Structure formats: C-alpha cells, structure tokens
C-alpha cells in the first residue's frame, strides 16, 4: 500500500539555525499537505502543494513539491522557539478521500 | 475558515466504561469524517472513515465492535470506545474536509485524551 516516509524523525537546533524535513511517497501524489502539531495540541494545516515543482513560502517557511510529485520538503530559516512542534506531511490515499500521514519530524529549538 | 469541534477534551475513567467522543463540523457539511488515534511521539493512525448515513469503513486491525462509529447527520460523527481498557488509552482526533471543494484541507478537532485506569 501507499507509504509516506519522513526524515529525520527528530531534530534539535539552536535558535537561529535552519531546519529541513523531507517527505517521500511510494506513489505519485495529486497533492501534498503539511501540518504542524504543537506539543499537546492537534495538527494544524499549514499548506497544500499541487503542482509539480511548486515552491511556496510562508514567512520563514519554504515548501517544495518535487518534479515527480513523490517528494516534498519543508525548510525553516532562522528557527525560533515558536517553531517547536512536530511537522507532518500527508498525501491523499489513492482512490480515497483520506490522507496518509508521514511519521512526522519533531523539532526542538533551544534558545 | 472551516472549524471542527471535538468533545470532550479529556476523559479519565475506570476500566470497563464506555466512552463517547463527538466530532462536529461547525461551518460546513461533512459527509465524511475521519477518526485517528495517536500514541505519544507517534504519527496519526487512521482508525476509520465515518460516512454519513451508512456504515463506517474501518482500517485493518481496528475492531469495529470495539470502536463504534455513528454519523447520523452531516455535521456530527461520534466514536464510542466500548468497555474501554488501559490499552485503549490514547489521543483520539477527528477530522473532516469539505468535500465540495477539492482544495480544502482536512481540519482537525482539538482531540480527546482518553485515560483508562
């Protein structure tokens, strides 16, 4: 079945350092979505990428969708303590309305 | 934007108790809602897809008699954990998407932390 893999599982950075998480799908995706879950909270939608090679920015966050629409990345420039949380990528499960989530990357930022 | 409300936020109860969790879409109609389970420091695992007016679709390994799902209206789905035991303790989250708009993402409820003593 469809698998969505995400690396790294965990990253600890100093405030001001950059951070990147990578997402790879075993199948071609119609779109990819990114969510952020703060400790103790629920996943919150960040962005959706649809087009091959698409790049979108949200302030210090840059999202990319691969040309083959099977991989994606999230890059945070100059991390802040407010960036702490787990970042999940998710792709539509083929033929279904639900999503397959990656295992997430937990980001810890030290001041 | 679309909002999904989940209630209760926390439940602590004795082993053998049945617990009902509600998930409501507040400003859109959701013919389909999703129920996830999340263990500490792990990803979201889809348990079942709740379909308005019909039976839920359960993922492999999820006991349908243990986790009863009812989707009686276009804005409400409920998950009942029957005769809960300590191993059922987890974070349960529902989500819904406005299926009339393919560009809409899934919106998650706040989740329910279930602790069975």
């Amino acid at each position: 079945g469809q698998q969505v893999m995400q690396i790294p599982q965990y990253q600890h950075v100093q405030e001001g350092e950059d951070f990147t998480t990578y997402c790879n799908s075993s199948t071609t995706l119609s779109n990819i979505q990114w969510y952020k879950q703060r400790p103790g909270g629920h996943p919150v939608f960040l962005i959706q990428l649809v087009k091959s090679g698409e790049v979108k920015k949200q302030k210090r966050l840059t999202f990319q969708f691969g040309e083959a629409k099977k991989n994606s990345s999230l890059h945070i420039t100059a991390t802040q303590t407010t960036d702490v949380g787990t970042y999940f990528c998710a792709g539509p499960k083929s033929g279904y309305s639900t999503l397959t989530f990656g295992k997430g990357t937990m980001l810890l930022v030290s001041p | 934007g679309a909002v999904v409300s989940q209630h209760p936020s926390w439940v602590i109860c004795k082993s053998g108790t049945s617990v009902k969790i509600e998930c409501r879409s507040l400003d859109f109609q959701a013919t389909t809602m999703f129920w996830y389970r999340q263990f500490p420091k792990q990803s979201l695992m889809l348990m079942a897809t709740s379909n308005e007016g019909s039976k839920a679709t359960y993922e492999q390994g999820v006991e349908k008699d243990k986790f009863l799902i009812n989707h009686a209206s276009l804005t409400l789905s409920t998950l009942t954990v029957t005769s809960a035991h300590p191993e059922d303790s987890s974070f349960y989250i529902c989500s819904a998407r406005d299926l009339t708009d393919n560009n809409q993402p899934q919106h998650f409820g706040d989740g329910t932390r279930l602790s069975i003593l």
Side-chain angles (χ1 to χ4, degrees):
Chain A
Q2 180 190 53
Q3 291 185 337
V4 176
M5 294 149 285
Q6 202 172 341
I7 58 170
Q9 291 187 13
Y10 172 84
Q11 188 150 9
H12 184 181
V13 300
Q14 293 292 317
E15 191 171 25
E17 293 182 337
D18 292 354
F19 160 78
T20 305
T21 173
Y22 300 91
C23 181
N24 286 283
S25 170
S26 59
T27 60
T28 301
L29 301 170
S30 58
N31 67 76
I32 194 156
Q33 300 173 28
W34 286 91
Y35 293 80
K36 177 183 179 181
Q37 185 176 21
R38 292 182 184 274
H42 64 278
V44 174
F45 174 76
L46 293 177
I47 207 161
Q48 176 176 273
L49 304 172
V50 179
K51 299 177 183 177
S52 170
E54 188 171 14
V55 178
K56 286 188 176 180
K57 290 190 175 183
Q58 289 180 350
K59 297 183 179 179
R60 295 177 294 104
L61 277 62
T62 302
F63 303 84
Q64 290 186 322
F65 199 11
E67 294 290 340
K69 301 184 75 172
K70 295 180 71 174
N71 58 73
S72 181
S73 65
L74 158 59
H75 179 81
I76 303 179
T77 303
T79 55
Q80 299 176 359
T81 54
T82 53
D83 296 325
V84 165
T86 300
Y87 293 85
F88 293 97
C89 63
K93 189 175 179 182
S94 181
Y96 297 87
S97 56
T98 187
L99 295 171
T100 301
F101 282 83
K103 292 188 180 298
T105 297
M106 183 183 295
L107 173 64
L108 181 62
V109 181
S110 295
Chain B
V3 177
V4 174
S5 172
Q6 189 172 340
H7 176 82
S9 300
W10 287 84
V11 179
I12 301 175
C13 58
K14 294 180 180 180
S15 184
T17 306
S18 291
V19 178
K20 180 186 282 189
I21 303 169
E22 293 187 348
C23 181
R24 295 180 185 271
S25 57
L26 297 184
D27 56 359
F28 66 98
Q29 293 182 335
T31 54
T32 304
M33 292 184 177
F34 307 97
W35 288 96
Y36 295 86
R37 184 174 181 175
Q38 186 179 37
F39 290 106
K41 298 185 179 180
Q42 294 191 21
S43 187
L44 296 145
M45 297 302 298
L46 180 66
M47 299 175 65
T49 301
S50 173
N51 305 299
E52 188 269 335
S54 64
K55 292 182 180 180
T57 304
Y58 289 82
E59 295 298 299
Q60 191 173 9
V62 178
E63 299 177 58
K64 61 180 181 180
D65 295 329
K66 174 75 171 178
F67 300 98
L68 299 178
I69 291 173
N70 183 276
H71 195 149
S73 78
L74 288 171
T75 59
L76 173 64
S77 174
T78 61
L79 168 68
T80 301
V81 183
T82 61
S83 187
H85 292 285
E87 58 266 28
D88 298 321
S89 299
S90 189
F91 188 43
Y92 293 87
I93 314 174
C94 71
S95 74
R97 184 164 70 90
D98 184 350
L99 294 179
T100 63
D101 184 350
N102 285 330
N103 293 320
Q104 283 292 319
Q106 284 201 18
H107 295 279
F108 287 85
D110 289 342
T112 298
R113 295 197 181 279
L114 176 61
S115 294
I116 307 299
L117 306 177

